[in-house]
Amino acid sequence: MSLALQIFSTVKDANAALQTAGARYMGGGTLVVRAANEGDVSVSRLVRVSDPGLSQIAVSGGKVRLGASVTMAAIDRHPELAALAPAARAVGGPAIRNMATVGGNLFAPAPYGDFAVALLALDATVVTEDGELPIETFLAGRDTSRAVVTAVSLSMPKTESFRFLKISRVKPKGISVLSIAALMQRTADGTVTSARIALGCMADRPMRAKAAERALLGCKLTPEEIAPALAAAGEGISPITDPIASARYRAEILPVHLGRLLLA
């Protein structure tokens, strides 16, 4: 079967092309091109947008706007995005980070999409041609979405309030066993006043650890006070099983690594 590539100058035209059977959007190509190369016959046409605005990064007044085609490498080297750099560096190796995009991470199935885990913890907003959606709402309906993502916007976190951790095996290197992102606000004495914790590989897409979030409120980040949050971390999870790790193993290590993240 032949594989056609269509490049459009506007998102509107690309959206129209994506309504036809067999059409898939291609950002960096790390997922869809691999699928086509591996024989996915459902893909017959790749659609791209050449609009340079999709590759722009804007930082102003504590707000960040990342175009959907912004790569992980671009985030990593941006001088004003140091807080996001650890999550960007968690995506593959250097070659993958030069191609992997913000938009692509939103659609990547577990165990991929580590940067989307960070965006979920940061309560990002996903921008499409049809409007804006909270990232949690977007992720829940992404399988049926046909709209092209144009950007993601978020408030710039303070480095000390945002934490990210990816756990992977030495061999094969790089693929997530688990990823965790946490955004916490604390008082001067260290008491947690708000918390958003996002998990990767605990479902087929990034998810919130809402029970753990609630358990952290009013606590200080000490081993004794975070214990209820660690015990609650497994509520509502449905870890994936793949060649990297079993669902049971992922569930068992979640409280261990969440504890390490919170106490770091």
Side-chain angles (χ1 to χ4, degrees), residues 192 195 197 208-219 228-229 232 235:
V192 176
I197 300 172
R208 296 264 301 279
K210 294 184 178 181
E213 293 171 355
R214 292 191 295 268
L216 279 177
L217 297 180
C219 296
E235 291 188 22

Side-chain angles (χ1 to χ4, degrees), residues 40-180:
D40 186 345
V41 295
S42 69
V43 183
S44 59
R45 179 188 304 178
L46 300 179
V47 175
R48 296 202 67 182
V49 178
S50 60
D51 183 353
L54 297 183
S55 299
Q56 292 182 353
I57 297 173
V59 183
S60 178
K63 301 292 184 179
V64 180
R65 185 181 175 92
L66 302 172
S69 295
V70 170
T71 65
M72 299 299 103
I75 294 170
D76 185 26
R77 62 175 175 259
H78 196 285
E80 297 180 89
L81 299 181
L84 302 180
R89 286 195 295 268
V91 178
I96 293 295
R97 289 193 291 274
N98 279 328
M99 298 184 293
T101 62
V102 171
N105 260 252
L106 292 174
F107 289 93
Y112 308 107
D114 297 302
F115 193 73
V117 176
L119 292 176
L120 178 57
L122 293 169
D123 197 18
T125 297
V126 179
V127 184
T128 73
E129 182 80 355
D130 297 334
E132 300 183 359
L133 285 173
I135 186 170
E136 198 164 359
T137 303
F138 174 84
L139 289 172
R142 72 179 185 185
D143 293 344
T144 57
S145 174
R146 300 295 291 177
V148 176
V149 173
T150 58
V152 169
S153 61
L154 61 141
S155 297
M156 173 62 76
K158 295 181 179 179
T159 303
E160 64 272 17
S161 66
F162 178 64
R163 303 178 183 185
F164 180 85
L165 178 65
K166 173 180 174 177
I167 297 89
S168 59
R169 297 188 182 279
V170 175
K171 294 183 179 180
K173 180 67 174 175
I175 301 174
S176 285
V177 174
L178 166 66
S179 54
I180 311 172

Side-chain angles (χ1 to χ4, degrees), residues 189-216:
D189 70 352
T191 301
V192 176
T193 58
S194 69
R196 282 181 65 96
I197 300 172
L199 308 173
C201 297
M202 292 296 107
D204 65 341
R205 66 201 68 198
M207 63 170 288
R208 296 264 301 279
K210 294 184 178 181
E213 293 171 355
R214 292 191 295 268
L216 279 177

